[in-house]
């Protein structure tokens, strides 16, 4: 069995837990999407730090410039950065996907205050832990962000690539699009920005990002058994953090249902 096959076998049960998570069955109405987005936006944000760390480490992103070890991986990372950091929004303006998500949240009537407060605090020099602890966040949301940055702080590209590859599950856009369509049909508003965001992710991600992500991990681990073990451990921890995040969002949605009952 190849090292990648062994890694995939080791994380399969957790991937299945994520795929079958009860959060998905709970997402039925517009207010569920609104509550979901208020927590999920932190994962949309911290994804960019994972991505930019890979860009710095794998694309010759230093002066004096040196050719990247793997031009194919460098191109893969640069393509993702181009799409995530400088895409075109629904009005033809250049904008990051994170900023598109914030605009879509505002259109939904979701609360962007916590994530915007985090960015303000980081912008004036507060540490991430201090800034997070000052926010009224569920432990599963704060923990997800803290895990991401704990991996980034290792500076080890194989670990970072593993978290990037295995810790980021799709939102199942078809489900969200169906909820938005129903809400619009019922006269609850127009939600073109969230629809555009979801469709852009389908278009930009495509079918080739998954295989190239696996290739990136394989290239970075090579024949080093220790690196493969560390990549596997990171993948497991990343999936556990994602499951904890999904648990937190499910709990928040259920809490809002009880309040409204």
């Amino acid at each position: 069995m190849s090292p990648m096959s062994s890694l995939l076998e080791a994380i399969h049960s957790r991937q299945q837990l994520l795929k079958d998570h009860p959060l998905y069955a709970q997402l039925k109405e517009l207010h569920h999407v609104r509550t979901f987005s208020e927590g999920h936006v932190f994962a949309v944000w911290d994804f960019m730090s994972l991505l930019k760390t890979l860009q710095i480490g794998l694309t010759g992103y230093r002066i004096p410039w040196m050719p990247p070890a793997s031009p194919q991986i460098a191109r893969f990372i640069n393509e993702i950065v181009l799409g995530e950091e400088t895409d075109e929004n629904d009005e033809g303006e250049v904008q990051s996907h994170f900023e598109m998500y914030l605009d879509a949240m505002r259109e939904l009537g979701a609360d962007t205050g916590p994530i915007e407060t985090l960015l303000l605090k980081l912008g004036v020099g507060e540490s991430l832990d201090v800034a997070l602890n000052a926010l009224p966040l569920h432990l599963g949301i704060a923990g997800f962000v803290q895990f991401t940055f704990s991996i980034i702080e290792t500076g080890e590209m194989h670990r970072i690539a593993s978290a990037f590859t295995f810790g980021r599950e799709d939102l199942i856009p078809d489900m969200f699009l169906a909820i938005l369509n129903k809400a619009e049909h019922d006269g609850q508003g127009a939600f073109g920005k969230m629809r555009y965001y979801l469709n852009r992710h389908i278009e930009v991600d495509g079918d080739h990002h998954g295989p190239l992500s696996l290739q990136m991990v394989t290239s970075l681990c090579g024949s080093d058994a220790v690196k493969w073990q560390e990549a596997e451990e990171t993948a497991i921890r990343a999936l556990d953090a994602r499951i904890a995040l999904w648990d937190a969002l499910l709990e928040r949605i259920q809490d809002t249902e009880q309040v409204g009952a």
Side-chain angles (χ1 to χ4, degrees), residues 16 38 42 46 57 59 63-64 86 103 117 124 155 160 162 167 172 174 176 187 218 227 243 246 259:
Q16 195 62 43
E38 292 169 356
F42 287 87
D46 80 355
T59 68
I63 303 299
T86 54
D103 284 346
T117 298
V124 297
I160 297 165
S162 181
I172 312 185
D174 288 348
F176 280 75
T218 298
K227 286 186 176 180
I243 291 168
W246 263 208
V259 170

Side-chain angles (χ1 to χ4, degrees), residues 4 8 58 69-77 157-158 161-162 164-166 208-222 228:
M4 178 57 74
L8 292 173
L58 300 177
S70 170
Q72 185 176 18
I73 291 176
R75 176 168 179 157
F76 166 58
I77 294 298
M157 289 299 118
H158 63 290
S162 181
F164 176 88
T165 299
F166 301 110
H208 71 297
H209 280 186
L212 286 175
S213 291
L214 297 179
Q215 183 178 328
M216 173 174 62
V217 174
T218 298
S219 176
L220 290 170
C221 291
W228 275 109

Side-chain angles (χ1 to χ4, degrees), residues 2-244:
S2 71
M4 178 57 74
S5 296
S6 178
L7 188 158
L8 292 173
E9 183 176 282
I11 66 175
H12 175 74
S13 62
R14 284 174 170 83
Q15 288 179 317
Q16 195 62 43
L17 283 173
L18 205 49
K19 181 179 179 182
D20 297 334
H21 198 283
L23 171 66
Y24 300 127
Q26 189 71 46
L27 290 167
K28 299 175 182 177
E29 303 292 340
L30 183 63
H31 65 276
H32 298 151
V33 176
R34 187 180 297 124
T35 300
F36 175 92
S37 70
E38 292 169 356
H40 178 253
V41 67
F42 287 87
V44 175
W45 171 73
D46 80 355
F47 169 80
M48 285 304 302
S49 290
L50 268 181
L51 176 59
K52 296 297 283 187
T53 303
L54 289 172
Q55 186 181 38
I56 291 168
L58 300 177
T59 68
Y61 200 80
R62 65 187 178 94
I63 303 299
W65 177 84
M66 296 292 288
S70 170
Q72 185 176 18
I73 291 176
R75 176 168 179 157
F76 166 58
I77 294 298
N78 282 332
E79 282 181 352
I80 297 177
V81 171
L82 178 65
E84 292 285 343
E85 193 173 41
T86 54
D87 202 359
E88 288 189 4
N89 66 16
D90 58 323
E91 297 178 2
E93 302 166 338
V94 176
Q95 195 176 42
S96 70
H97 282 191
F98 169 72
E99 292 166 307
M100 288 185 203
Y101 197 89
L102 281 182
D103 284 346
M105 286 178 66
R106 297 183 186 109
E107 187 178 66
L108 287 169
D111 182 10
T112 61
I115 186 65
E116 291 178 311
T117 298
L118 176 65
L119 297 186
L120 286 172
K121 287 179 176 293
L122 295 175
V124 297
E126 281 194 21
S127 71
L128 178 66
D129 284 340
V130 170
L132 281 173
N133 289 334
L135 297 176
L137 293 179
H138 190 290
L139 289 177
I141 299 172
F144 182 86
V145 175
Q146 289 167 330
F147 165 75
T148 296
F149 282 87
S150 73
I151 296 301
I152 289 171
E153 287 166 6
T154 69
E156 297 178 292
M157 289 299 118
H158 63 290
R159 289 185 184 270
I160 297 165
S162 181
F164 176 88
T165 299
F166 301 110
R168 301 287 159 164
E169 294 298 312
D170 291 334
L171 285 178
I172 312 185
D174 288 348
M175 177 188 298
F176 280 75
L177 290 170
I179 294 170
L180 296 178
N181 290 337
K182 178 179 182 298
E184 288 184 338
H185 182 268
D186 293 344
Q188 297 182 55
F191 309 107
K193 291 187 181 299
M194 183 60 82
R195 179 181 290 103
Y196 183 85
Y197 171 86
L198 295 170
N199 283 327
R200 281 303 290 155
H201 261 274
I202 294 170
E203 294 169 15
V204 171
D205 288 350
D207 294 329
H208 71 297
H209 280 186
L212 286 175
S213 291
L214 297 179
Q215 183 178 328
M216 173 174 62
V217 174
T218 298
S219 176
L220 290 170
C221 291
S223 59
D224 189 324
V226 173
K227 286 186 176 180
W228 275 109
Q229 182 59 39
E230 291 171 344
E232 181 179 308
E233 291 170 355
T234 300
I236 289 170
R237 292 177 60 203
L239 287 165
D240 285 343
R242 173 64 70 164
I243 291 168

